[in-house]
Amino acid sequence: MERFDVVVIGAGPAGCSAAREAALRGAGSVLLLEREEWPRDKVCAGGLSPPARRVLRRMGLWSRVLPLGYPIRAARLRTPGGRELLVSGRRTSLVVRRRFLDALLAEEAARAGAVLRTGCRAQGLLLEQGRVRGVKAGGASIGARRVILASGAGSRYGLRPPPSSRWLACLARYEAVPFEPHTIELFFDPELFPRYGWLFPESGSQVNVGFCLARGQRRGPPAGMGPRELLERFLRRNLGERMAAARPLGRPRFHPILPSSRVLHRSLPGTLLAGDCLRLVNPFTGEGLSYALASGRLAGRVTASALRSGWAEPRIRRLYGRALRTSLEPSLRIGDWISRRGRPLLHWAARAASSRLGGRLIYRALS
Ligand SMILES: Cc1cc2nc3c(=O)[nH]c(=O)nc-3n(C[C@H](O)[C@H](O)[C@H](O)COP(=O)(O)OP(=O)(O)OC[C@H]3O[C@@H](n4cnc5c(N)ncnc54)[C@H](O)[C@@H]3O)c2cc1C
């Protein structure tokens, strides 16, 4: 049987950063398994938030990611009451297609020493006396001293039991939709609120547009609407005439988002979970890239230390859980608080941002 010290399932941002960190920190041999052929796109708007930029900086990768994306210098928000606020500043953020971002992250994991195997789906975990000892993949068994599960939202390896809160997210790409250069737009449509829709420019001529909606939301579009009708309704309500000459690039795609207001780490002995597998998505913004990168790094680091020092399972879990709670839980809790009290907060922000100074201060706080 083929054997590795560490097997990582899923080459998204969480899996790539976990594999890279484990390899860099001396975990031994690392295998990164990805079911899709490479390069692949993931259903994602690709907005790199200020926290994502900070993690990429810490990883020493921001300067390599920067040329892959479209720079963002401002955000235009439409509040549920129809007010608009423009927040802008000097710091640059980025919208980047996932096929480019993930390919770079996987390349970096390989450069650090991990073996990347694409087109290879993990089909199950190898269990021995209640502990995971490897993975079944591509019709073979692969032994592992430890496994990191980073296979994304809704994956069979994710956190159990299934979440009580689940969003449906939709994403579509278009050409020939007029937009303000270097500006993302967020639509706090009353039908979606406290969720929202967006328009993110991906290049000088192409945008991605989408929305997320919580299942069973109190206010919302008429019941019984299918996802495609929901998208059309969203576009009519928020972009109207701007869609007149729009040319779709591919079909709209739908994907679940599983947000969380807390870090709840539970997994089988021998494994750690990272990223969307652990539901690390902000319950207000829906952003998960910074959490995926940060949790993947932590999982890789703890795994490497555990293998080098022969730590027992309870210690590994305690340290990983503590590190996640310290670094990631505060922003999840803030996101949860805002999503429950967001309407007055947005109205206040809209009023504050109508002055130049207010707009600057808000952008600074956001970036
Ligand atoms: C419509 C939409 C828009 C979004 N926009 C943003 C945004 O603008 N900014 C932001 O920060 N976040 C955004 N998110 C959230 C973000 O996409 C996720 O939080 C992020 O992708 C999580 O990364 P991950 O590595 O945990 O999982 P993923 O990116 O889902 O990666 C998991 C990988 O595992 C692979 N995999 C799955 N099963 C197996 C298997 N059995 N064997 C091998 N490989 C497997 C998958 O193919 C995939 O490559 C958005 C999400 C959606 C749905």
Side-chain angles (χ1 to χ4, degrees), residues 10 13-14 34-35 40 42-45 47 98 122 151 276 287-289:
E34 169 57 48
R35 69 175 173 197
R40 63 98 181 85
K42 140 96 177 55
V43 186
C44 180
R98 289 288 300 274
S151 45
D276 274 12
E287 76 112 346
L289 289 170

Side-chain angles (χ1 to χ4, degrees), residues 33 90 138 172 259 333 358:
L33 284 180
R90 257 171 291 150
R333 284 189 178 268

Side-chain angles (χ1 to χ4, degrees), residues 70-142:
Y70 181 79
I72 298 299
R73 300 200 186 96
R76 184 177 289 284
L77 280 66
R78 190 179 305 153
T79 71
R83 287 182 86 139
E84 292 222 340
L85 74 109
L86 180 71
V87 284
S88 62
R90 257 171 291 150
R91 295 187 209 183
T92 303
S93 199
L94 207 64
V95 172
V96 60
R97 284 287 289 268
R98 289 288 300 274
R99 58 167 52 233
F100 303 127
L101 176 67
D102 292 17
L104 171 78
L105 294 171
E107 186 190 315
E108 286 296 325
R111 195 203 292 261
V115 175
L116 171 67
R117 204 166 283 172
T118 57
C120 186
R121 176 191 289 270
Q123 292 146 327
L125 301 175
L126 298 176
L127 276 159
E128 235 178 75
Q129 293 163 346
R131 188 194 154 88
V132 174
R133 303 276 179 193
V135 174
K136 281 180 239 156
S141 294
I142 304 170

Side-chain angles (χ1 to χ4, degrees), residues 9-15 33-36 38 40 42-48 98 102 120-122 150-153 155 157 169-171 198 200 255-257 274-277 280-281 286-290 292:
I9 303 182
L33 284 180
E34 169 57 48
R35 69 175 173 197
E36 306 282 340
W38 222 242
R40 63 98 181 85
K42 140 96 177 55
V43 186
C44 180
L48 288 174
R98 289 288 300 274
D102 292 17
C120 186
R121 176 191 289 270
S151 45
S155 124
Y157 305 112
C170 167
L171 182 113
W198 66 85
F200 284 6
H255 199 273
I257 294 188
D276 274 12
C277 250
L280 294 177
V281 173
E287 76 112 346
L289 289 170
S290 65

Side-chain angles (χ1 to χ4, degrees), residues 176 178 239-247:
L239 292 167
E241 282 302 301
R242 288 168 70 190
M243 293 303 292
R247 276 194 305 280

